[in-house]
Amino acid sequence: MRILGIDPGFATIGFGLVEAEKNQYQLIRCGVITTPAHTSLASRLDQIYHDLTELLEAFRPDAVSIEELFFNTNITTGIAVAHGRGVILLACQKYGVPIFEYTPSQVKQAVVGYGKAEKHQVMDMTRRILRL
């Protein structure tokens, strides 16, 4: 099963495509979708949609996993990220791939075993799980 994991954003959207088979995971591709600064909201959202659609067509995932938003102190940034996340959800829905949404704590719990793990712990466990 091919799973496309997405860390939503507005300026930078992280993604990783893995092949999963019987608790064995192999990284197929990872990277970022970026949007140019100092361009309109509509233009940036169009870029996200276009790039994600290309990714879906190129790699044909069986499922998409996307992180739910967590609003911290900067609500303005959160709103921009919400716009980007909405476009990501739309692209996946139009492509017809099943979408699974997880909170940051659920992601950390699944990867590290602790829902309040630090970023470096998640990165280390991801490297181990994918044998990078």
Side-chain angles (χ1 to χ4, degrees):
M1 168 178 260
R2 282 191 169 197
I3 303 165
L4 177 63
I6 301 173
D7 185 5
F10 181 65
T12 305
I13 297 93
F15 70 87
L17 182 74
V18 297
E19 186 80 37
E21 188 175 324
K22 296 182 182 177
N23 283 342
Q24 294 292 316
Y25 304 94
Q26 179 182 357
L27 178 65
I28 305 297
R29 180 158 181 209
C30 63
V32 294
I33 294 171
T34 58
T35 61
H38 310 296
T39 56
S40 70
L41 170 65
S43 177
R44 292 176 94 169
L45 295 176
D46 182 60
Q47 184 70 51
I48 292 168
Y49 184 84
H50 177 266
D51 289 358
L52 187 59
T53 301
E54 280 188 355
L55 220 102
L56 292 167
E57 282 296 323
F59 293 101
R60 302 193 178 280
D62 300 304
V64 169
S65 171
I66 185 167
E67 191 173 77
E68 289 183 356
L69 293 185
F70 172 74
F71 286 96
N72 203 353
T73 55
N74 191 341
I75 192 79
T76 304
T77 301
I79 291 170
V81 173
H83 285 303
R85 187 174 183 279
V87 168
I88 293 165
L89 291 172
L90 174 64
C92 294
Q93 179 67 30
K94 286 184 124 345
Y95 185 75
V97 64
I99 302 165
F100 299 88
E101 302 176 66
Y102 301 97
T103 66
S105 293
Q106 287 174 310
V107 173
K108 292 173 184 178
Q109 179 69 38
V111 175
V112 179
Y114 176 58
K116 295 185 180 189
E118 298 292 325
K119 186 171 263 191
H120 70 89
Q121 293 172 300
V122 176
M123 290 168 55
D124 183 55
M125 282 305 296
T126 300
R127 279 192 288 272
R128 290 176 188 212
I129 291 167
L130 296 175
R131 296 180 306 280
L132 301 176

